[in-house]
Amino acid sequence: MNKSAVYFIHALSPLHPGVGQGVGSVDLPVAREKATGIPYLPGSSVKGVLRDTARVRGWPASKEEAIFGPDTNHADVHAGAAYFGDAKLLLLPVRSYAGVFAYATSPYLLRRFKREAEMAGIETPELPKGPKEQDVALVGEGSEVVDEITVKEGTKEKKVLLEDLDFNPEVDPLVPKWEQWILRHAEGLDLPLKGRLLVLEDDVMSYLLETALEVVTRIRIDETKKTVAKGALWFEENIPAESVLYGLLSVAPKSFGPANGSALLDQEILGQLKELIRYPLQFGGNATVGRGLSRMALVVS
């Protein structure tokens, strides 16, 4: 039976898991799940980046092939021992009028994460029951993203103000439990999560996934005229910096390929991957213009 783990990716700069040319107003959109519209980074991209990192770090070819499989010219010889699922968005950073930014998620996103974590034998906190209304945001006691504003007749109300949306905060003791769990298990990522987690209604989260991603204008300058080159103006969508994604990693009990004359066991493979992800990684496209700089953490039961 394969051993499973969960990995986290923390985007330190905007992340562009591209899908080529778009058909809407955004020329270069990010990859999204067809049914849910949730942005994701393909597992093949995660695997490829880690394989390249292993080569840069001087891994012997036998160990690289044991974990990631042979190169494409010999892919029929045997499979790699590590199987990488897609990295789906879990926490979306959204600009907040208090606390700089908030980490938004929803019951559906947490429920799906919990399902995959438990598939890997990892226990997670209880899921929040709400929010029941679209104008409510579940927060922890003393949340940094709750602001006190003055309303009619000089009275004050507590609000969560995100972009052009405002929410009524509702304290839920499960929110800080999720903050603490993620901070404890996403070891080494140093996430700025404490006091910033919001649980929003699923339809509101769906709206933010459509509207709160970063869209930047890109141009190429004509070197002779020093103006925008003809046809060289385009719009590019990115998963914003500080976003947190997660994926499922499965490891075979024993590698198929030899490593220094003997096969690697699953615990050895996970140990090698943990060592590999101590370094900064670059995921997605447009690396030469600073996209995709990330950190990664591995959670094993």
Side-chain angles (χ1 to χ4, degrees), residues 12-74:
L12 300 177
S13 67
L15 175 63
H16 182 72
V19 292
Q21 193 73 22
V23 295
S25 58
V26 177
D27 300 295
L28 299 176
V30 300
R32 294 175 182 269
E33 295 178 347
K34 183 67 174 179
T36 65
I38 296 171
Y40 74 96
L41 176 68
S44 57
S45 178
V46 177
K47 178 181 177 181
V49 168
L50 292 181
R51 180 195 283 273
D52 288 345
T53 303
R55 289 175 179 171
V56 170
R57 296 296 166 185
W59 277 23
S62 57
K63 183 166 70 171
E64 177 199 323
E65 290 186 6
I67 295 177
F68 300 107
D71 60 34
T72 53
N73 294 328
H74 303 92

Side-chain angles (χ1 to χ4, degrees), residues 158-298:
K158 291 184 176 181
K159 291 283 186 180
V160 174
L161 305 173
L162 305 180
E163 300 284 350
D164 58 346
L165 302 175
D166 63 274
F167 301 91
N168 298 311
E170 183 178 303
V171 174
D172 188 320
L174 292 175
V175 172
K177 287 185 178 181
W178 273 97
E179 287 182 350
Q180 294 161 12
W181 188 95
I182 294 172
L183 288 171
R184 185 170 67 252
H185 287 81
E187 185 180 2
L189 296 189
D190 192 27
L191 295 174
L193 177 60
K194 185 173 174 57
R196 284 194 168 94
L197 184 61
L198 295 177
V199 181
L200 305 176
E201 197 266 342
D202 285 327
D203 289 342
V204 175
M205 192 68 208
S206 180
Y207 171 77
L208 287 175
L209 292 175
E210 286 293 329
T211 61
L213 267 61
E214 175 182 286
V215 177
V216 296
T217 304
R218 297 281 306 279
I219 62 171
R220 179 168 54 83
I221 299 295
D222 185 310
E223 292 187 3
T224 57
K225 297 180 179 178
K226 304 303 180 184
T227 58
V228 177
K230 185 177 181 180
L233 167 66
W234 70 96
F235 296 95
E236 172 189 291
E237 186 179 43
N238 299 302
I239 297 173
E242 300 292 358
S243 295
V244 179
L245 301 88
Y246 76 95
L248 196 62
L249 167 65
S250 181
V251 177
K254 189 176 182 180
S255 64
F256 298 101
N260 298 325
S262 61
L264 291 169
L265 301 178
D266 52 12
Q267 290 290 356
E268 295 174 298
I269 294 169
L270 289 170
Q272 294 292 333
L273 290 174
K274 276 191 171 184
E275 178 67 20
L276 196 62
I277 64 176
R278 292 193 304 111
Y279 307 100
L281 302 165
Q282 199 93 30
F283 293 108
N286 301 327
T288 57
V289 290
R291 304 289 186 264
L293 181 63
S294 305
R295 295 180 295 187
M296 194 170 176
L298 192 59

